Amino acid sequence: MANVSVYNMQGAEVGKLELNDAIFGVEVNENLVHEAVVAHLANQRQGTQKAKTRSEVSGGGRKPWRQKGTGHARQGSTRAPQWTGGGVVFAPTPRDYSVSMNKKEKRAALRSALTSRVQDNKLIVLDELTLNEIKTKDMVKVLDAIKVEKALIVLDSLDQNVIVSARNIPSIKTTQVGTLNTYDVMKYDTVVVTKKAVSDIEEVYA
């Protein structure tokens, strides 16, 4: 089992924590991680883009001029794509971009992502993360103390003081154990997790 250091909010090491190999010590499946990231991004797409084709725009029912004898190129409608106000060629239509992954694959991908963060020494465990008030400056002090810039903070509970204090920092995202996903773990350089959240992750995703 891997051992990681546990730090306090001042950046001082206060102990060690043994991680469960079933979550943080699996064989990394890069292909599965890639599939999970692609699926996550695809499922964020609304797929509501729409433009009208020549059959959908209004007007253009009458042939604008006769076929021959005018000196103009022949035209059948004023709503053909080459006309101003005409339809769009191969116009986009609403579609479903969602990609499905079964629960077993999602969990395996998340375990691989967490394991890769441990192997790269990009997992930082805090004994606790609490703030007395909503203040971004206090959150920045904690991040500076543990020397992280772009990080995913995994909380064991819905702590509004921490969540709102971190919200104005562009390179920081907070999440809870129940909403943890592979994309966020891989997107951010460092994963900062509380000691209680580690045990919750081991319980939920084992």
Side-chain angles (χ1 to χ4, degrees):
M1 289 189 175
N3 286 316
V4 294
S5 298
V6 178
Y7 298 92
N8 60 20
M9 292 170 57
Q10 289 72 43
E13 185 175 339
V14 294
K16 293 283 187 180
L17 180 65
E18 196 173 74
L19 300 176
N20 187 348
D21 281 346
I23 304 295
F24 298 97
V26 301
E27 183 179 349
V28 177
N29 188 331
E30 293 183 2
N31 181 61
L32 203 55
V33 171
H34 177 262
E35 287 183 18
V37 170
V38 169
H40 178 87
L41 292 173
N43 293 338
Q44 301 306 303
R45 300 185 68 175
Q46 291 182 320
T48 55
Q49 69 275 35
K50 177 74 174 77
K52 291 183 178 182
T53 63
R54 62 183 295 171
S55 67
E56 295 170 317
V57 292
S58 62
R62 183 174 67 85
K63 188 175 174 67
W65 50 74
R66 67 180 191 269
Q67 182 82 345
K68 295 176 179 292
T70 63
H72 295 298
R74 57 192 174 187
Q75 300 291 331
S77 169
T78 57
R79 290 300 176 258
Q82 71 270 20
W83 285 72
T84 299
V88 178
V89 181
F90 305 129
T93 54
R95 54 166 289 194
D96 182 12
Y97 287 95
S98 62
V99 177
S100 63
M101 283 185 75
N102 63 48
K103 190 175 180 181
K104 194 173 182 180
E105 288 176 322
K106 286 181 181 179
R107 292 194 171 202
L110 181 58
R111 288 194 288 265
S112 289
L114 291 170
T115 297
S116 71
R117 284 293 173 252
V118 174
Q119 292 175 349
D120 296 338
N121 295 319
K122 295 294 186 179
L123 182 80
I124 296 177
V125 180
L126 297 178
D127 59 345
E128 64 173 358
L129 181 56
T130 56
L131 297 176
N132 295 325
E133 58 181 332
I134 296 174
K135 202 165 189 180
T136 302
K137 188 182 291 186
D138 292 344
M139 192 69 210
V140 171
K141 286 181 181 178
V142 175
L143 297 172
D144 288 342
I146 59 177
K147 297 181 175 62
V148 299
E149 294 180 359
K150 185 179 180 182
L152 174 69
I153 300 175
V154 185
L155 303 172
D156 54 86
S157 62
L158 198 64
D159 190 328
Q160 288 296 330
N161 284 359
V162 174
I163 293 171
V164 179
S165 296
R167 193 163 59 189
N168 282 341
I169 308 174
S171 59
I172 300 297
K173 179 178 180 178
T174 58
T175 188
Q176 284 77 52
V177 173
T179 55
L180 189 60
N181 63 77
T182 303
Y183 173 75
D184 285 338
V185 172
M186 299 307 297
K187 177 182 178 181
Y188 292 89
D189 296 336
T190 309
V191 176
V192 178
V193 57
T194 63
K195 191 174 180 179
K196 174 68 167 60
V198 171
S199 63
D200 289 346
I201 290 171
E202 292 176 345
E203 183 180 339
V204 173
Y205 298 104

